[in-house]
Amino acid sequence: MTMQKTASVSVDAMLEDLRTLVEIESPSGVLDALRASAAAVAAVIEHRLGGRATLVESEAGPHVHWSGGGEPKVLVLGHHDTVFPLGTLERRPFTVADGRVTGPGVFDMLGGLVQAVHGLALLDDLSGVEILVTADEEVGSGHSRALLEERALACGAVLVFEGAADGGRLKTGRKGCGTFEVSITGRAAHAGLEPAAGVNALIEAAHQVLGIAALGRPEIGTTVTPAVASAGTQANVVPAQATVSVDVRVESAEEKERVESAFASLTPQLDGALISVQGSVRRPPMPESASAELMALAQRLFPGIEGTAVGGGSDGNFTAALGVPTLDGLGAVGGGAHADHEFVLVDTMAERANLVAALVDAIRTSPAPALLGRPPGRRVAGRSVGAGQQGPGAP
């Protein structure tokens, strides 16, 4: 291994960088905030690792890409957007107390980014290493997916720095996930004078919600959850419009196809009602087979570390679906993702940074062909991507 003999990670320095990123605030879709956040992420990377980080502009905000040069072998993947609106920091400022770091985005996933960078800083040689930090993971990765898939294929192994699972476990599998929007059109009428002249979109929605919920098969990991509904305008008007938003999670491609087909086949129960459906299972399932070799490597390097499959999705779903070995949950140890009690455990930060260094170095220094059998010349989004080819935004 090429880790420096005398170097050690500084928790104080990690906390300093984490404070910098958290105090900028970076809610998805707020472009000015994301530009500031991307610049800060790039500055942290350059300060700790040297070289130049490139800002890759997109309609969702800038993504940050950095390369250590040489033939790409491992992609360190994360995101800098968060789910918290501007102003959250005033109510919930960055704080270190009682062994915990709190503040908007510390666990999902700014803490993981900082740990990754400081772990990489322990290595003498970063050739073959790429970092990609996207700006739209929390809203589906619509503007970063092609880029992250391209770099994943070029590198041949992906380490995702989303927060760890309970107890610090790595994430070896994820469900595919998506949102469906069911729109119902009825016909308005006076609820007192001639209710029968209307077509009640709310009643139609009630019929549909029961049928939609029945699509779930929790015994095989499929959950279908009607989550948000709206209908009507006034209490004395038969509702002419209704919408239902549905969260879907699946563990297999077969279930993805079944559920998508079922939504496409929804039919009205009331005469005169119309139904339209938008959405899909955008993030494909990440099977545990995609992480098997990398997880085995992690366990050889750090005996006792455990893994688990989880229900949430990440950009690791996309890279695993391409057949690229992917290991997730390498980020911060803590909890409360997307919630006001979000936190990171301070006494785990150094160990996770050391895990990053050991994993990346083992992959990076593996003999050719790559440790995990990276296939050359795969295609993505209509482009051929060879083992050493640089993609958009590569310096």
Side-chain angles (χ1 to χ4, degrees), residues 63-159:
H63 316 306
V64 183
H65 182 263
W66 180 91
S67 172
E71 179 185 359
K73 288 190 173 183
V74 56
L75 178 65
V76 170
L77 183 59
H79 64 89
H80 65 98
D81 62 319
T82 72
V83 300
F84 301 103
L86 291 177
T88 302
L89 185 69
E90 182 177 0
R91 176 173 55 84
R92 191 158 57 88
F94 180 88
T95 303
V96 182
D98 300 323
R100 294 188 173 200
V101 189
T102 55
V106 292
F107 181 66
D108 187 10
M109 63 169 289
L110 301 176
L113 291 181
V114 168
Q115 290 171 181
V117 172
H118 281 256
L120 293 175
L122 296 173
L123 301 177
D124 284 328
D125 186 354
L126 290 172
S127 59
V129 181
E130 293 192 19
I131 302 172
L132 179 61
V133 186
T134 64
D136 61 347
E137 192 274 345
E138 295 290 5
V139 289
S141 306
H143 294 282
S144 60
R145 180 174 178 178
L147 175 60
L148 68 89
E149 288 180 332
E150 182 172 293
R151 298 322 308 152
L153 285 167
C155 290
V158 177
L159 303 177

Side-chain angles (χ1 to χ4, degrees), residues 276-293:
S276 65
V277 178
Q278 292 184 322
S280 63
V281 180
R282 288 180 53 85
R283 294 187 191 272
M286 173 184 165
E288 291 194 79
S289 58
S291 66
E293 290 183 84

Side-chain angles (χ1 to χ4, degrees), residues 14 17-26 37 41 79-82 84 94 103-117 133 161-163 331-332 342 344 349:
M14 283 195 284
D17 287 345
L18 183 54
R19 176 188 289 276
T20 296
L21 299 185
V22 169
E23 290 187 344
I24 287 173
E25 293 192 288
S26 53
S37 176
V41 170
H79 64 89
H80 65 98
D81 62 319
T82 72
F84 301 103
F94 180 88
V106 292
F107 181 66
D108 187 10
M109 63 169 289
L110 301 176
L113 291 181
V114 168
Q115 290 171 181
V117 172
V133 186
F161 283 82
E162 295 283 357
E342 182 182 25
V344 171
M349 295 179 71

